[in-house]
Amino acid sequence: MTDLSTMTDLSTKILERQRLIRYRYGGWLIAVLIMIACLLGLDSWLPPPLEKPRQTSVLVLDARDRLLRSFTVAGGLWRLPARVAEVDPLYLRMLLAYEDRRFADHSGLDPLALIRALGQWLWHGRPVSGASTLTMQTARLLEPHPRTLAGKIGEMLRALQLEWRYGKDEILGVYLTLAPYGGNLEGIRAASLAWFGKEPGRLTPAEAALLVVLPQAPSRLRPDRFPERARTARDKVLVRMGRLGVLNAQQVAEARQEPLPTRYRPPPFLAPHLADRLRTARPDTTLHRTDLDRDLQHTLEALARQQQAQLERSASIALLVVENRSRRVLAYLGASDFFDARRSGQIDMVRAIRSPGSALKPLVYGLGFDDLLIHPETLIDDVPSRFAGYTPTNFHHTHAGQVTVREALQQSLNIPAVAVLAQVGPARVASRLREVGLPLHWNAAHPQPGLPLVLGGVGVTLEELVTLYVGFANGGTVAPLRFGPADPQPVGQALLTETACWYLAEILRTAPTPGNVLTPGSVASPHPIAYKTGTSYGFRDAWALGFDADHTVGVWVGQPDGSPSPGHYGRNTAAPLLFRIFDLLPVPTAQVQAPPPGTLLVSRDQLPERLRYFRSAVDTPAKLTNTPPLDITFPVAGSTVELPDRDGTLADLPLVAKGGVKPLRWLVNGQPLNASGWRRDAFWAPDGEGMARITVFDQSGQSADTDVWIRRGQ
């Protein structure tokens, strides 16, 4: 009985103890669960403020992901995004060894460092060393706070939160993006570019040591302002790296001898107009990849700044370089000096609407080839003419007489080009360009462009002209240019046939080279270029466009405000720059393409009758009211003139006219005489005996001619 009672009491006590244990520990468990729930709630309610590392500078990169330009964030800060994989491993080893040796093992707080710091504080009565981990420093960069006990506790909690949410490389990436390096520099990429002029992928030990220590006191340790402080701090890091075995003694000694950077380098600033264009087109994008070649872009920008010294103080230069097959833009220069307000440097002249001068002539001739109106060997007249009330004149106010279409295009004669356009039709030219995505711009008061179109009487942009010439180089197929891999693959549309483009390329490739550039095929200019120049009315725009098998280049020179630049025209101003640019490009493997099948390669005498001569539809020569008729008074028509023989050379033949409107222009056998147009007489030096046709034109469009026989006098 007693045993049974004892056992009952024992069971009762055990049950009571179990209830007590469950009560006590259950309470603790509930408390822990409540605490965890609160922490999770706080973590969800107060997530880490990651807006700052996401608000990085907008970057514009070249085809090899090299930086062309970056834009500042709020506050004028250069904050370039950085990832662990993009940074030199030596720098990372030095950073962790100097700042947080147990970074890979702790969970945001380093207990050993905390115990050491607390002990030193109690022993010395003041803080002696810190216990901040890189995670804690990252938390402080994300959320700056006063250096108080409350601020430090908040920093620790944020560090734990970061470790809970993110991996080590992500936390380190935030630090590498936000760490301050002096001035307006944030992040290791901005610092490396500013202090060393390079990305942080490859750093010397001395460079790495400086970047390790700069964030500790970025303003006080700036090497350009306080070089001795910066050197002392850098060498301190190097010595510690030697003690920790990160560097050997020789590396430490050599690194300490390396000079400090003495100046602050601004971030790269290349292709600024294209960068602005891409940023405006895609404002929510922070990374813009282009197809540009940074080395070529840098060289051409320097070349343009050098060339602008030969221009007016307000003149500028724009250019494009395009790879023909892919239509990728390799270089883009909107102005020769972005920061020069006198030159309106921030206006993108690649997209400015300007008069093309003669740059559209190849298209008009190409359409004439396709319409079987003309052939390169077709004869065409360059004489004073009026077309439906329009009287064009040549650039030099002279006339070449009868020339081939090849010569007319190579010499950029205006009257033959207008004659061809009159039959091709200016409205048709504008329509064909509009169909392939290259609309012309003209005065809204006129519903359609007229014959002046071919001489620059419409508006185009450099981008549109280059697109057109890339089409010539691609057999007549026109498609938009590509500025970056994000642009869609262009779909081409036929503008001309391959045969017409081959004729154009062959004519323009064999055109005389401007006298102030090297001859194509020489050592310095190793390959021929099919090129065309243009000059707008009043010397406002100078153009040069050219292509070879691989590349097309377009150059514009002028004053952005439209002011004239007398003496500067396409041939003497833009063409030399065009040839210099081609000298910087690779020489094509195939320099001259074979003609397409069916191309008519014959001499003029072998042409079909309808292609031997071009008959232009012109009005009768202009007659001014009350203007005396133009006539040749000497030599008399049909006469035979004997000229003295002076040691095998015939004496000069005087030519005399009356009437007409000066200036007068003289032709003999279709060749212009170099004579003053403001006199009514001229002199011609015959090269032998025979018949000569003498022609004179006046300003009003009147003409007179005569045939005479030249005989050697006794």
Side-chain angles (χ1 to χ4, degrees), residues 144-218:
H145 57 78
R147 292 182 177 272
T148 61
L149 181 59
K152 181 61 70 174
I153 293 173
E155 181 182 307
M156 292 179 181
L157 292 175
R158 284 296 192 193
L160 293 171
Q161 186 183 33
L162 289 172
E163 293 279 352
W164 170 266
R165 282 174 168 253
Y166 306 106
K168 294 290 185 180
D169 281 0
E170 292 175 288
I171 295 171
L172 196 52
V174 173
Y175 174 85
L176 295 174
T177 299
L178 297 182
Y181 288 90
N184 63 343
L185 303 176
E186 283 193 358
I188 189 171
R189 288 184 65 195
S192 184
L193 289 167
W195 298 124
F196 309 124
K198 63 181 182 180
E199 294 279 356
R202 297 186 65 180
L203 299 170
T204 67
E207 292 168 345
L210 182 61
L211 294 180
V212 164
V213 77
L214 264 177
Q216 291 190 345

Side-chain angles (χ1 to χ4, degrees), residues 294-313:
R294 189 176 74 171
D295 296 332
L296 178 63
Q297 181 73 27
H298 182 271
T299 300
L300 294 185
E301 289 191 14
L303 179 60
R305 285 192 295 271
Q306 174 188 344
Q307 291 294 112
Q308 76 178 11
Q310 304 173 18
L311 307 174
E312 290 88 349
R313 291 171 63 87

